[in-house]
């Protein structure tokens, strides 16, 4: 069997679903990462719902982005969006998801939370009882289709209006093939970004922890480093 090598051959050989009509909710959308993802997906033509514990804060964040973006409380966003991205601080991860279990049942939930600690030596990965933030989400949300993705996308680049394309591969992990295909396709809606399947959800801890290494790279080289996977 011939292995596709050119970009055109690879695109033809991959069945990428049409996700253009999907609405995207972002829990924790008032933070830089959430707002950055909201901005890029809105520019791609998606309806985006920014969620927060405070509907007023969410509405203010949505107004700062403009376009097809609106803000509401987390419960409303979780109930109304087709796909929900979790971009909340690690400290509130479990409690927030537990409070939204009903609203998130049956939905693709994309966890991009990185459990990290910081000390005088810099960032380091925290130990998570379930293995990773994504696995914790899967345990808390047994009725949802949990996918891990968008861990290494620079919020600075996402928010920068001078950056038209982002040079990055988004590693997508999960146990549901249709769900990971959908998230890969959503990643590709951001110019310059490509979604690449990265394995089962049980390996998400490696992806989350790698963020600490990227933070060290960025500090040393004053950069906004990302990842590219070769020969795929």
């Amino acid at each position: 069997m011939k292995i596709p090598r050119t970009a055109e051959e690879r695109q033809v050989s991959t069945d990428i679903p049409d996700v253009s009509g999907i609405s995207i909710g972002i829990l924790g959308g008032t933070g830089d990462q959430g707002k950055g993802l909201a901005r890029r997906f809105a520019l791609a033509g998606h309806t985006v719902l920014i969620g927060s514990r405070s509907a007023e804060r969410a509405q203010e964040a949505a107004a700062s982005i403009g376009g097809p973006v609106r803000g509401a409380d987390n419960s409303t966003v979780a109930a109304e969006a087709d796909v929900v991205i979790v971009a909340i601080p690690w400290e509130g991860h479990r409690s927030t998801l537990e409070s939204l279990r009903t609203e998130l049942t049956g939905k693709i939930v994309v966890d991009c939370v990185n459990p990290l600690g910081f000390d005088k030596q810099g960032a380091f990965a925290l130990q998570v009882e379930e293995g990773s933030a994504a696995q914790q989400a899967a345990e808390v949300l047994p009725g949802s289709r949990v996918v891990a993705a968008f861990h290494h996308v620079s919020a600075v680049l996402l928010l920068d209006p001078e950056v038209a394309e982002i040079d990055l591969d988004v590693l997508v992990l999960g146990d549901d093939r249709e769900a990971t295909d959908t998230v890969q396709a959503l990643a590709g809606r951001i110019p310059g970004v490509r979604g690449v399947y990265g394995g089962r959800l049980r390996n998400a801890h490696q992806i989350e922890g790698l963020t600490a290494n990227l933070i060290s790279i960025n500090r040393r080289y004053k950069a906004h480093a990302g990842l590219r996977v070769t020969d795929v």
Side-chain angles (χ1 to χ4, degrees), residues 126-158:
L126 297 176
Q127 295 295 317
V128 179
E129 182 179 353
E130 297 82 0
S132 64
Q135 287 171 290
Q136 183 181 93
E139 181 180 295
V140 171
L141 304 172
S144 301
R145 306 159 72 190
V146 176
V147 174
F150 298 111
H151 300 87
H152 307 140
V153 191
S154 166
V156 173
L157 297 182
L158 289 171

Side-chain angles (χ1 to χ4, degrees), residues 180-202:
T180 56
D181 284 353
T182 296
V183 177
Q184 284 181 251
L186 284 173
R189 299 283 290 169
I190 301 174
V193 175
R194 183 180 60 156
V196 177
Y197 175 69
R200 297 281 188 163
L201 205 64
R202 67 183 183 182

Side-chain angles (χ1 to χ4, degrees), residues 20 31 57 108 124 131 159 165 183 228:
S20 58
R57 285 189 61 208
I108 295 176
F124 60 95
L159 289 167
E165 296 189 1
V183 177
R228 279 295 191 195

Side-chain angles (χ1 to χ4, degrees), residues 107-126:
K107 298 196 175 187
I108 295 176
V109 175
V110 186
D111 201 301
C112 68
V113 175
N114 299 306
L116 299 177
F118 295 86
D119 60 18
K120 292 186 295 183
Q121 298 183 59
F124 60 95
L126 297 176

